[in-house]
Structure formats: C-alpha cells, structure tokens
Coordinates of all heavy atoms in Angstrom, one line a residue:
M7 N 72.7 66.3 41.9 CA 72.9 65.4 42.9 C 71.5 64.8 43.3 O 70.5 65.5 43.4 CB 73.5 66.0 44.1 CG 73.9 65.0 45.2 SD 74.7 65.9 46.6 CE 76.2 65.0 46.6
S8 N 71.5 63.5 43.4 CA 70.2 62.8 43.7 C 69.8 63.0 45.2 O 70.6 63.4 46.0 CB 70.4 61.3 43.4 OG 71.2 60.7 44.4
T9 N 68.6 62.7 45.4 CA 68.0 62.9 46.8 C 68.7 61.9 47.7 O 68.9 62.2 48.9 CB 66.5 62.6 46.8 OG1 65.9 63.4 45.8 CG2 65.9 62.9 48.1
L10 N 69.0 60.7 47.2 CA 69.7 59.7 48.1 C 71.1 60.2 48.5 O 71.5 60.1 49.6 CB 69.9 58.4 47.3 CG 70.6 57.3 48.1 CD1 69.9 56.9 49.3 CD2 70.9 56.1 47.2
G11 N 71.8 60.9 47.6 CA 73.1 61.5 47.9 C 73.0 62.6 49.0 O 73.8 62.7 49.9
L12 N 71.9 63.4 48.9 CA 71.7 64.4 49.9 C 71.4 63.8 51.2 O 71.8 64.3 52.3 CB 70.6 65.4 49.4 CG 70.9 66.3 48.2 CD1 69.7 67.0 47.8 CD2 72.1 67.2 48.6
D13 N 70.6 62.7 51.2 CA 70.3 62.1 52.5 C 71.5 61.4 53.1 O 71.6 61.5 54.4 CB 69.2 61.0 52.2 CG 67.8 61.6 51.9 OD1 67.6 62.8 52.2 OD2 67.0 60.9 51.3
I14 N 72.3 60.8 52.4 CA 73.6 60.3 52.9 C 74.5 61.3 53.5 O 75.1 61.2 54.5 CB 74.3 59.4 51.8 CG1 73.5 58.2 51.5 CG2 75.7 59.0 52.3 CD1 74.0 57.4 50.3
G15 N 74.6 62.5 52.7 CA 75.4 63.6 53.2 C 74.8 64.1 54.5 O 75.6 64.5 55.4
L16 N 73.5 64.2 54.6 CA 72.9 64.7 55.8 C 73.1 63.8 57.0 O 73.4 64.2 58.1 CB 71.4 65.0 55.6 CG 70.6 65.6 56.8 CD1 71.2 67.0 57.1 CD2 69.2 65.7 56.4
A17 N 73.0 62.5 56.7 CA 73.3 61.5 57.8 C 74.7 61.6 58.3 O 75.0 61.5 59.5 CB 73.0 60.1 57.3
L18 N 75.7 61.7 57.4 CA 77.1 61.9 57.8 C 77.3 63.1 58.6 O 78.1 63.1 59.5 CB 78.0 61.8 56.5 CG 78.1 60.5 55.9 CD1 78.9 60.6 54.6 CD2 78.8 59.5 56.8
L19 N 76.7 64.2 58.2 CA 76.9 65.5 58.9 C 76.3 65.4 60.3 O 76.8 65.9 61.3 CB 76.2 66.6 58.1 CG 77.0 67.2 57.0 CD1 76.2 68.2 56.2 CD2 78.2 67.9 57.5
L20 N 75.2 64.7 60.4 CA 74.6 64.5 61.8 C 75.5 63.7 62.7 O 75.7 64.0 63.8 CB 73.2 63.8 61.7 CG 72.1 64.7 61.2 CD1 70.8 63.9 60.9 CD2 71.8 65.8 62.2
I21 N 76.1 62.6 62.1 CA 77.0 61.8 62.9 C 78.2 62.6 63.3 O 78.7 62.6 64.5 CB 77.4 60.5 62.1 CG1 76.2 59.6 62.0 CG2 78.6 59.8 62.8 CD1 76.4 58.5 61.0
V22 N 78.8 63.3 62.4 CA 80.0 64.1 62.7 C 79.6 65.2 63.7 O 80.4 65.5 64.7 CB 80.6 64.8 61.4 CG1 81.6 65.9 61.7 CG2 81.2 63.7 60.5
S23 N 78.5 65.8 63.6 CA 78.0 66.8 64.6 C 77.9 66.2 66.0 O 78.2 66.9 67.0 CB 76.8 67.5 64.2 OG 77.0 68.2 62.9
L24 N 77.3 65.0 66.1 CA 77.2 64.4 67.4 C 78.5 64.1 68.0 O 78.7 64.3 69.2 CB 76.3 63.1 67.3 CG 74.8 63.3 67.0 CD1 74.1 62.0 66.8 CD2 74.2 64.0 68.2
V25 N 79.4 63.6 67.2 CA 80.8 63.3 67.7 C 81.5 64.5 68.2 O 82.2 64.6 69.2 CB 81.6 62.5 66.7 CG1 83.1 62.4 67.1 CG2 81.0 61.1 66.4
A26 N 81.4 65.6 67.4 CA 82.0 66.9 67.7 C 81.4 67.4 69.0 O 82.1 68.0 69.9 CB 81.9 67.9 66.6
A27 N 80.1 67.3 69.2 CA 79.4 67.8 70.4 C 79.9 67.0 71.6 O 80.1 67.6 72.7 CB 77.9 67.7 70.3
Y28 N 80.1 65.7 71.5 CA 80.6 64.9 72.6 C 82.0 65.3 72.9 O 82.3 65.5 74.1 CB 80.6 63.4 72.2 CG 81.3 62.5 73.2 CD1 80.6 62.2 74.3 CD2 82.5 62.0 72.9 CE1 81.2 61.3 75.3 CE2 83.2 61.2 73.9 CZ 82.5 60.9 75.0 OH 83.1 60.1 75.9
R29 N 82.9 65.5 71.9 CA 84.2 66.0 72.2 C 84.3 67.4 72.8 O 85.1 67.7 73.6 CB 85.1 65.9 70.9 CG 86.5 66.3 71.0 CD 87.3 65.6 72.1 NE 87.2 64.2 72.0 CZ 87.6 63.3 72.9 NH1 88.1 63.7 74.0 NH2 87.6 62.0 72.7
M30 N 83.3 68.2 72.4 CA 83.3 69.6 73.0 C 82.9 69.5 74.4 O 83.4 70.3 75.2 CB 82.3 70.4 72.2 CG 82.5 71.9 72.3 SD 81.7 72.7 71.0 CE 80.2 73.1 71.8
L31 N 82.1 68.6 74.8 CA 81.7 68.5 76.2 C 82.7 67.7 77.1 O 82.9 68.1 78.3 CB 80.3 67.8 76.3 CG 79.1 68.6 75.7 CD1 77.9 67.7 75.8 CD2 78.9 69.9 76.5
I32 N 83.3 66.7 76.6 CA 84.2 65.8 77.3 C 85.7 66.1 77.1 O 86.5 65.6 77.9 CB 83.8 64.3 77.0 CG1 82.3 64.1 77.2 CG2 84.6 63.4 77.8 CD1 81.8 64.3 78.6
G33 N 86.0 66.8 76.1 CA 87.4 67.0 75.7 C 88.3 67.4 76.8 O 88.0 68.2 77.7
P34 N 89.5 66.7 76.9 CA 90.4 66.9 78.0 C 91.1 68.3 78.0 O 91.4 68.8 79.1 CB 91.4 65.8 77.9 CG 91.4 65.4 76.4 CD 90.0 65.7 76.0
T35 N 91.3 68.9 76.9 CA 92.0 70.2 76.9 C 91.1 71.2 76.2 O 90.1 70.9 75.5 CB 93.3 70.1 76.1 OG1 93.1 69.8 74.8 CG2 94.2 69.0 76.8
E36 N 91.5 72.5 76.4 CA 90.7 73.6 75.8 C 90.9 73.6 74.3 O 89.9 73.9 73.6 CB 91.2 74.9 76.4 CG 90.9 75.1 77.8 CD 91.5 76.3 78.4 OE1 92.4 76.9 77.7 OE2 91.2 76.7 79.5
S37 N 92.0 73.2 73.8 CA 92.2 73.1 72.3 C 91.4 72.0 71.7 O 90.9 72.2 70.6 CB 93.7 72.9 72.0 OG 94.2 71.7 72.5
D38 N 91.2 70.9 72.4 CA 90.2 69.9 71.9 C 88.8 70.4 71.7 O 88.1 70.2 70.8 CB 90.2 68.6 72.8 CG 91.5 67.8 72.7 OD1 92.2 67.9 71.6 OD2 91.8 67.1 73.6
R39 N 88.4 71.1 72.7 CA 87.1 71.7 72.7 C 87.0 72.8 71.6 O 85.9 72.9 71.0 CB 86.8 72.4 74.1 CG 86.6 71.3 75.1 CD 86.1 71.9 76.4 NE 85.8 70.9 77.4 CZ 86.4 70.6 78.5 NH1 87.5 71.4 78.8 NH2 86.1 69.7 79.3
A40 N 88.0 73.6 71.4 CA 88.0 74.6 70.3 C 87.9 73.9 69.0 O 87.1 74.4 68.1 CB 89.2 75.5 70.4
V41 N 88.6 72.9 68.7 CA 88.6 72.2 67.4 C 87.2 71.6 67.2 O 86.7 71.6 66.1 CB 89.7 71.2 67.3 CG1 89.6 70.3 66.1 CG2 91.1 71.9 67.2
A42 N 86.7 71.0 68.3 CA 85.4 70.3 68.2 C 84.3 71.4 67.9 O 83.4 71.2 67.1 CB 85.1 69.6 69.4
G43 N 84.4 72.6 68.5 CA 83.4 73.6 68.3 C 83.5 74.1 66.9 O 82.5 74.4 66.2
D44 N 84.7 74.2 66.3 CA 84.9 74.6 64.9 C 84.3 73.6 64.0 O 83.6 73.9 63.0 CB 86.4 74.8 64.6 CG 86.6 75.6 63.4 OD1 85.8 76.5 63.0 OD2 87.6 75.3 62.7
L45 N 84.5 72.3 64.3 CA 83.9 71.3 63.4 C 82.4 71.3 63.5 O 81.7 71.1 62.5 CB 84.5 69.9 63.9 CG 84.0 68.7 63.1 CD1 84.4 68.8 61.7 CD2 84.5 67.4 63.8
L46 N 81.9 71.5 64.7 CA 80.5 71.6 64.9 C 79.9 72.7 64.1 O 78.8 72.6 63.5 CB 80.1 71.7 66.4 CG 78.7 71.6 66.8 CD1 78.1 70.2 66.4 CD2 78.5 71.8 68.2
M47 N 80.5 73.9 64.1 CA 80.0 75.0 63.4 C 80.0 74.8 61.9 O 79.0 75.0 61.2 CB 81.0 76.2 63.7 CG 80.7 77.4 62.9 SD 79.1 78.1 63.2 CE 78.9 79.3 61.9
F48 N 81.0 74.2 61.4 CA 81.0 73.9 59.9 C 80.1 72.7 59.6 O 79.7 72.6 58.4 CB 82.4 73.8 59.4 CG 83.1 75.1 59.3 CD1 84.1 75.4 60.2 CD2 82.8 76.0 58.4 CE1 84.7 76.7 60.2 CE2 83.3 77.2 58.3 CZ 84.3 77.6 59.2
G49 N 79.9 71.8 60.5 CA 78.8 70.8 60.3 C 77.5 71.4 60.1 O 76.7 71.1 59.3
V50 N 77.2 72.4 61.0 CA 75.9 73.2 60.9 C 75.8 73.9 59.6 O 74.8 74.0 58.9 CB 75.7 74.1 62.1 CG1 74.6 75.0 61.9 CG2 75.6 73.3 63.4
V51 N 76.9 74.5 59.1 CA 76.9 75.2 57.9 C 76.6 74.2 56.7 O 75.9 74.5 55.8 CB 78.3 75.9 57.6 CG1 78.4 76.4 56.2 CG2 78.4 77.1 58.6
G52 N 77.2 73.0 56.8 CA 76.9 72.0 55.8 C 75.5 71.6 55.8 O 74.9 71.4 54.7
M53 N 74.9 71.5 57.0 CA 73.5 71.1 57.1 C 72.6 72.2 56.5 O 71.6 71.9 55.8 CB 73.1 70.8 58.5 CG 73.5 69.5 59.0 SD 72.8 69.2 60.6 CE 74.3 68.8 61.5
I54 N 72.9 73.4 56.7 CA 72.2 74.6 56.1 C 72.3 74.5 54.6 O 71.3 74.7 53.9 CB 72.7 75.9 56.7 CG1 72.4 76.1 58.2 CG2 72.1 77.1 55.9 CD1 73.0 77.3 58.8
A55 N 73.5 74.2 54.1 CA 73.6 74.1 52.7 C 72.8 73.0 52.1 O 72.1 73.1 51.0 CB 75.1 73.9 52.3
I56 N 72.8 71.8 52.7 CA 72.0 70.7 52.2 C 70.5 71.0 52.3 O 69.8 70.7 51.3 CB 72.4 69.4 53.0 CG1 73.8 68.9 52.6 CG2 71.4 68.3 52.7 CD1 74.3 67.7 53.3
F57 N 70.1 71.5 53.4 CA 68.6 71.9 53.4 C 68.3 72.9 52.4 O 67.2 72.9 51.8 CB 68.3 72.4 54.8 CG 68.1 71.3 55.9 CD1 68.7 71.4 57.1 CD2 67.4 70.2 55.6 CE1 68.6 70.4 58.1 CE2 67.2 69.2 56.5 CZ 67.8 69.3 57.8
G58 N 69.2 73.9 52.1 CA 68.9 74.9 51.1 C 68.8 74.3 49.7 O 67.9 74.6 48.9
V59 N 69.6 73.3 49.4 CA 69.6 72.6 48.1 C 68.3 71.8 48.0 O 67.6 71.8 47.0 CB 70.8 71.7 47.9 CG1 70.6 70.8 46.7 CG2 72.1 72.6 47.8
R60 N 67.9 71.1 49.1 CA 66.7 70.3 49.1 C 65.5 71.1 48.9 O 64.5 70.7 48.3 CB 66.6 69.4 50.3 CG 67.6 68.3 50.3 CD 67.3 67.2 51.3 NE 66.2 66.4 50.7 CZ 65.7 65.4 51.3 NH1 66.1 65.1 52.5 NH2 64.7 64.7 50.7
M61 N 65.4 72.3 49.6 CA 64.2 73.1 49.6 C 64.2 74.1 48.4 O 63.2 74.7 48.1 CB 64.1 73.9 50.9 CG 64.0 73.1 52.1 SD 62.5 72.0 52.0 CE 62.9 70.8 53.2
G62 N 65.4 74.2 47.8 CA 65.4 75.1 46.6 C 65.4 76.6 47.0 O 64.8 77.4 46.3
G63 N 66.0 76.9 48.2 CA 66.0 78.3 48.7 C 66.9 79.2 47.8 O 67.9 78.8 47.4
T64 N 66.4 80.4 47.6 CA 67.2 81.4 46.8 C 68.3 82.1 47.6 O 69.3 82.6 47.1 CB 66.3 82.4 46.2 OG1 65.5 83.1 47.2 CG2 65.3 81.7 45.2
F65 N 68.1 82.2 48.9 CA 69.1 82.9 49.8 C 70.0 82.0 50.5 O 70.7 82.4 51.4 CB 68.3 83.8 50.8 CG 67.5 84.9 50.1 CD1 66.2 84.9 50.1 CD2 68.2 85.9 49.5 CE1 65.4 85.9 49.5 CE2 67.5 86.9 48.8 CZ 66.1 86.9 48.9
T66 N 70.0 80.7 50.2 CA 70.8 79.8 50.9 C 72.3 80.1 50.8 O 73.1 80.0 51.8 CB 70.6 78.4 50.4 OG1 69.2 78.1 50.5 CG2 71.4 77.3 51.1
F67 N 72.8 80.5 49.6 CA 74.2 80.8 49.4 C 74.6 81.9 50.3 O 75.7 81.9 50.9 CB 74.5 81.1 48.0 CG 76.0 81.4 47.8 CD1 76.9 80.5 47.8 CD2 76.3 82.7 47.5 CE1 78.3 80.8 47.6 CE2 77.7 83.1 47.3 CZ 78.6 82.1 47.4
D68 N 73.8 82.9 50.4 CA 74.1 84.1 51.3 C 74.2 83.7 52.8 O 75.1 84.1 53.5 CB 73.1 85.2 51.1 CG 73.0 85.7 49.7 OD1 74.0 85.6 49.0 OD2 71.9 86.2 49.4
I69 N 73.3 82.9 53.2 CA 73.3 82.4 54.6 C 74.5 81.5 54.9 O 75.2 81.7 55.9 CB 72.0 81.7 54.9 CG1 70.8 82.6 54.9 CG2 72.1 81.0 56.3 CD1 69.5 81.9 54.9
V70 N 74.9 80.6 54.0 CA 76.0 79.8 54.1 C 77.3 80.6 54.1 O 78.2 80.3 55.0 CB 76.0 78.7 53.1 CG1 77.4 77.9 53.0 CG2 74.9 77.7 53.3
L71 N 77.4 81.5 53.3 CA 78.6 82.4 53.2 C 78.8 83.2 54.5 O 79.9 83.2 55.0 CB 78.5 83.3 52.0 CG 79.7 84.2 51.7 CD1 80.9 83.4 51.4 CD2 79.4 85.2 50.6
I72 N 77.8 83.8 55.0 CA 77.9 84.6 56.2 C 78.2 83.6 57.4 O 79.0 84.0 58.3 CB 76.6 85.4 56.5 CG1 76.4 86.5 55.4 CG2 76.5 85.9 57.9 CD1 75.1 87.2 55.4
A73 N 77.5 82.5 57.5 CA 77.8 81.5 58.6 C 79.3 81.0 58.5 O 79.9 80.9 59.6 CB 76.8 80.4 58.5
A74 N 79.8 80.8 57.3 CA 81.2 80.3 57.2 C 82.2 81.4 57.6 O 83.2 81.1 58.3 CB 81.5 79.9 55.8
I75 N 81.9 82.7 57.3 CA 82.7 83.8 57.7 C 82.7 83.9 59.2 O 83.8 84.1 59.8 CB 82.4 85.1 56.9 CG1 82.7 85.0 55.5 CG2 83.0 86.3 57.5 CD1 82.2 86.1 54.6
V76 N 81.5 83.9 59.8 CA 81.4 84.0 61.2 C 82.1 82.8 61.9 O 82.8 83.0 62.9 CB 79.9 84.1 61.7 CG1 79.8 83.9 63.1 CG2 79.3 85.4 61.2
G77 N 82.0 81.6 61.4 CA 82.7 80.5 62.0 C 84.2 80.6 61.9 O 84.9 80.3 62.8
F78 N 84.7 81.1 60.8 CA 86.2 81.3 60.6 C 86.7 82.4 61.6 O 87.7 82.2 62.3 CB 86.5 81.7 59.2 CG 87.9 82.1 59.0 CD1 88.9 81.1 59.0 CD2 88.3 83.4 58.8 CE1 90.2 81.5 58.8 CE2 89.6 83.8 58.7 CZ 90.6 82.8 58.6
L79 N 86.0 83.5 61.7 CA 86.4 84.6 62.6 C 86.3 84.1 64.0 O 87.2 84.5 64.9 CB 85.6 85.8 62.4 CG 85.8 86.5 61.0 CD1 84.9 87.7 60.8 CD2 87.2 86.9 60.9
S80 N 85.3 83.4 64.4 CA 85.2 82.9 65.8 C 86.3 81.9 66.1 O 86.9 81.9 67.2 CB 83.9 82.3 66.1 OG 83.7 81.1 65.3
A81 N 86.7 81.1 65.1 CA 87.8 80.1 65.3 C 89.1 80.9 65.5 O 90.0 80.5 66.4 CB 87.9 79.2 64.2
M82 N 89.3 81.9 64.7 CA 90.6 82.7 64.9 C 90.6 83.5 66.2 O 91.7 83.5 66.9 CB 90.7 83.7 63.7 CG 90.9 83.1 62.4 SD 92.5 82.3 62.3 CE 91.9 80.6 62.3
S83 N 89.5 84.0 66.6 CA 89.5 84.7 67.9 C 89.7 83.8 69.1 O 90.3 84.1 70.1 CB 88.2 85.5 68.1 OG 87.1 84.7 68.1
L84 N 89.1 82.6 69.0 CA 89.3 81.6 70.0 C 90.7 81.1 70.1 O 91.3 80.9 71.2 CB 88.3 80.4 69.8 CG 88.3 79.3 70.9 CD1 87.9 80.0 72.2 CD2 87.3 78.3 70.6
A85 N 91.4 80.9 68.9 CA 92.8 80.5 68.9 C 93.6 81.6 69.5 O 94.6 81.3 70.3 CB 93.2 80.2 67.5
R86 N 93.3 82.8 69.2 CA 94.0 83.9 69.8 C 93.9 84.0 71.3 O 94.8 84.2 72.1 CB 93.6 85.2 69.2 CG 94.2 86.5 69.6 CD 95.5 86.7 68.9 NE 96.1 87.9 69.2 CZ 96.8 88.7 68.4 NH1 97.0 88.2 67.2 NH2 97.3 89.8 68.8
A87 N 92.7 83.7 71.8 CA 92.4 83.7 73.2 C 93.1 82.5 73.9 O 93.6 82.7 75.1 CB 90.9 83.6 73.5
L88 N 93.2 81.4 73.3 CA 93.8 80.2 73.9 C 95.4 80.4 74.0 O 96.0 79.9 74.9 CB 93.5 79.0 73.1 CG 92.1 78.4 73.3 CD1 91.9 77.2 72.4 CD2 91.9 78.0 74.7
T89 N 95.9 81.1 73.0 CA 97.4 81.4 73.1 C 97.7 82.6 73.9 O 98.9 83.0 74.0 CB 97.9 81.5 71.6 OG1 97.3 82.6 71.0 CG2 97.8 80.2 70.9
R90 N 96.7 83.2 74.4 CA 96.8 84.4 75.2 C 97.5 85.6 74.5 O 98.3 86.3 75.0 CB 97.6 84.1 76.5 CG 96.7 83.2 77.4 CD 97.5 82.8 78.6 NE 96.7 81.9 79.5 CZ 96.4 80.7 79.3 NH1 96.7 80.1 78.2 NH2 95.7 80.0 80.2
G91 N 97.2 85.7 73.2 CA 97.7 86.8 72.4 C 99.1 86.7 71.8 O 99.5 87.6 71.2
K92 N 99.7 85.6 72.1 CA 101.1 85.4 71.6 C 101.0 85.0 70.1 O 100.1 84.4 69.6 CB 101.8 84.2 72.3 CG 102.1 84.5 73.7 CD 102.7 83.3 74.3 CE 102.5 83.2 75.8 NZ 102.8 82.0 76.4
R93 N 102.0 85.5 69.3 CA 102.0 85.2 67.9 C 103.0 84.1 67.6 O 103.9 83.9 68.0 CB 102.3 86.5 67.1 CG 101.2 87.4 67.2 CD 101.4 88.5 66.3 NE 100.2 89.4 66.4 CZ 99.9 90.2 65.5 NH1 100.6 90.4 64.4 NH2 98.8 91.0 65.6

C-alpha cells in the first residue's frame, strides 16, 4: 500500500473517530453512546494498525489483536449491562 493510501485511511479514521466521540457525548440514548464507544474503540485500533504499518513495528499485530479482543469484550459486557442481564 502506498503512503498516500495510508494517509487517506488515517484521515478517514480521524473523521470517524471525531463523529463517534461527538455521538458518545451527545447521544440521546445509552445504546447510541455504547455503539459510538465501540466505533471509537475500533477506530483507535485501526489507527494503531496504520501507525504500525507506517513505522514498520514488529509488535504491531500483537497490540492490535489484544486491543481488538479487549474492545469486543467491553462491547459485550456493556451490552449485557444495558439489557440488565436479560438474554
């Protein structure tokens, strides 16, 4: 992937992260805030991946994998809390 492609991807991730942060702060319901928080988490994971590719880091994949797993588990626990434990 070219450097221009990485820059465009980073710009898109920054825009999505700003929109998600706005929705997380202003969102009318708790579920809107939860979805925005999940989107923001995975936007950050994407930014870590792009920075890792640009810098040529050797441990980037490990960091991205752990961050994605933590983001998924936090989304599941938040969904469980919002439904008050109902299945």
Side-chain angles (χ1 to χ4, degrees):
M7 187 178 239
S8 68
T9 307
L10 179 63
L12 291 175
D13 291 339
I14 292 172
L16 185 61
L18 287 174
L19 279 172
L20 285 173
I21 291 169
V22 168
S23 296
L24 288 174
V25 171
Y28 173 77
R29 180 53 56 191
M30 203 163 93
L31 294 173
I32 306 298
T35 64
E36 293 173 346
S37 59
D38 287 336
R39 289 185 173 115
V41 170
D44 194 34
L45 181 62
L46 187 63
M47 172 64 188
F48 285 106
V50 169
V51 169
M53 282 189 236
I54 292 171
I56 288 176
F57 282 133
V59 168
R60 287 196 80 180
M61 299 301 164
T64 57
F65 295 109
T66 304
F67 178 73
D68 299 332
I69 294 169
V70 168
L71 183 64
I72 290 170
I75 290 171
V76 168
F78 173 74
L79 292 176
S80 67
M82 290 298 107
S83 64
L84 187 58
R86 182 81 175 213
L88 287 176
T89 60
R90 293 174 179 71
K92 297 179 204 167
R93 290 188 178 201

